[in-house]
Amino acid sequence: MTLTSKISGYDSRWPAMFLAEKERIAVTFAPDLVDIFHVGSTAVPGLSAKPEIDLLVEVREHRNEIARDSSMRMLGYVRGRDLSAGHHFYRRDIDGVRTHKVHVCVTGHWQIERMLRFRDLLRSDPTVRQQYQDLKLELEATNRDGIEEYLAKKAPYINALIGPPPA
């Protein structure tokens, strides 16, 4: 089984792709929008990644979810299962290929700080960035059961660097 996308070398267009999508989705989360951050591997210059732009949307509260889901559907997104309590998830595929993932969390949700801290660590530490890239490429090469296996096998490395998520 394959991942949602094949890992590729860093693409200097990823930041512009993030900015374009940030602008496109921002209205969906108004008036509760606090900020939209570029997270995940495509947010780290020089890091190989699945070419899927990750956006972290911070909102004051989750409300009008039916209207938000409808608006996101009109933009080509599908609501996935919540990744944790208060962590909503959307994905966008074009012609069967995953292109964007949107994580929506309320201000103060533990995942906001965690995603930003890991992104910033990868941006600032070339040794950690290279180790993480090597791990991702190894996991892609040995993957048998798809994205869930890939994520589960990355988790111990990430947790060792920034601590485990709350229980």
Side-chain angles (χ1 to χ4, degrees):
M1 183 173 252
T2 61
L3 303 180
T4 53
S5 299
K6 183 168 176 39
I7 294 173
S8 62
Y10 180 76
D11 187 329
S12 61
R13 296 175 296 174
W14 289 340
M17 293 167 70
F18 159 74
L19 290 172
E21 198 65 12
K22 175 182 178 177
E23 185 174 310
R24 212 169 78 88
I25 70 169
V27 69
T28 297
F29 299 96
D32 296 312
L33 180 64
V34 175
D35 207 344
I36 301 177
F37 304 96
H38 190 186
V39 295
S41 294
T42 62
V44 181
L47 181 62
S48 295
K50 293 187 278 72
E52 303 171 5
I53 306 300
D54 280 277
L55 298 99
L56 171 59
V57 178
E58 180 180 352
V59 294
R60 287 179 187 81
E61 63 180 294
H62 288 303
R63 63 177 167 171
N64 303 322
E65 288 184 42
I66 293 171
R68 281 186 180 168
D69 290 353
S70 177
S71 180
M72 289 296 280
R73 268 193 309 278
M74 290 181 355
L75 294 172
Y77 284 89
V78 173
R79 171 103 181 244
R81 65 178 173 79
D82 290 354
L83 299 181
S84 64
H87 181 173
H88 300 178
F89 179 75
Y90 298 87
R91 66 186 183 278
R92 180 174 180 228
D93 297 357
I94 297 176
D95 297 327
V97 176
R98 177 79 32 91
T99 61
H100 296 81
K101 297 174 286 193
V102 176
H103 303 263
V104 185
C105 297
V106 173
T107 298
H109 192 284
W110 59 269
Q111 194 62 273
I112 295 171
E113 189 267 341
R114 187 174 166 80
M115 286 183 176
L116 295 175
R117 191 158 43 112
F118 187 56
R119 179 203 64 192
D120 293 347
L121 176 61
L122 291 171
R123 284 178 172 175
S124 66
D125 190 323
T127 301
V128 170
R129 184 170 52 247
Q130 185 63 53
Q131 289 171 346
Y132 186 58
Q133 178 172 289
D134 293 346
L135 173 64
K136 290 180 355 160
L137 292 169
E138 176 187 334
L139 293 177
E140 178 185 51
T142 60
N143 187 278
R144 298 291 170 255
D145 294 321
I147 192 67
E148 294 297 328
E149 172 191 325
Y150 174 79
L151 294 173
K153 289 186 174 182
K154 282 192 328 182
Y157 179 80
I158 296 168
N159 292 344
L161 290 170
I162 63 172

